[in-house]
Amino acid sequence: MSTHRLRKPFVLLEAFLTPAIAAALLLAVLRPLSLAVPLAVLVLAFGVSTMVRASRRSLTVTEDGIQIQRDKYRLDAPWDAITGLDCGRRRGLIRADELLLDDCTISAVDHRGRATTLPDSLQPHPATTRVQVNFYDRDWASGPIGAHLKARGVAS
């Protein structure tokens, strides 16, 4: 069993991309600067809470399958539930290797194992059927995940 945390570059990108753009726009447009700078700092501060939340996400690889811990829920997918691989770009910026999931179990628990409530928008959301595996494990294709997928005939 091995556990991978969301890699730091992706945590920082997710946490600060939008706030950094908003802060830059505030600094460019809003005058006087004595008003713009505190507002820009406040906008960037919102990224900190996102960073803390995103850094708690993890991917655990076991002999039975994979377990993905997200903010308010855990996804358990046996190896036979992984039906394919989709390689593309996320937000047009970075490469994303996504495992396609067919049948997985969703548990309403946080990263500490405490009971939570599932978000209302979860079921139609692709987060329940896709896992961006390279965001957790850079060398996933040459590791245990790639080996399990190759053994099952799923292209990696």
Side-chain angles (χ1 to χ4, degrees):
M1 180 170 82
S2 61
T3 299
H4 306 276
R5 293 272 177 205
L6 192 61
R7 292 173 35 214
K8 293 296 180 205
F10 300 111
V11 170
L12 293 173
L13 181 70
E14 182 167 325
F16 291 108
L17 179 64
T18 303
I21 291 170
L25 287 173
L26 279 171
L27 290 173
V29 173
L30 195 59
R31 294 291 178 250
L33 280 180
S34 60
L35 178 63
V37 171
L39 284 176
V41 170
L42 183 64
V43 168
L44 286 172
F46 283 112
V48 174
S49 66
T50 302
M51 182 179 70
V52 169
R53 192 177 69 244
S55 65
R56 294 177 183 151
R57 298 175 188 160
S58 65
L59 168 72
T60 302
V61 181
T62 68
E63 284 299 317
D64 298 325
I66 60 173
Q67 181 182 81
I68 301 91
Q69 179 63 52
R70 298 235 169 88
D71 298 337
K72 293 185 176 186
Y73 63 96
R74 181 179 300 147
L75 216 58
D76 288 295
W79 290 114
D80 59 354
I82 302 172
T83 58
L85 177 68
D86 185 18
C87 298
R89 297 247 171 228
R90 182 170 186 229
R91 295 183 184 151
L93 299 174
I94 50 179
R95 184 176 63 97
D97 299 336
E98 294 183 322
L99 299 178
L100 306 178
L101 308 177
D102 184 31
D103 185 32
C104 52
T105 306
I106 301 172
S107 306
V109 293
D110 66 7
H111 69 284
R112 292 185 180 129
R114 294 183 301 196
T116 63
T117 55
L118 291 175
D120 293 334
S121 60
L122 184 62
Q123 285 306 333
H125 197 276
T128 60
T129 59
R130 294 175 168 264
V131 175
Q132 296 161 335
V133 67
N134 66 315
F135 286 18
Y136 297 93
D137 183 4
R138 175 182 298 155
D139 301 319
W140 69 270
S142 60
I145 297 173
H148 280 285
L149 296 181
K150 285 177 187 170
R152 292 198 48 256
V154 177
S156 62

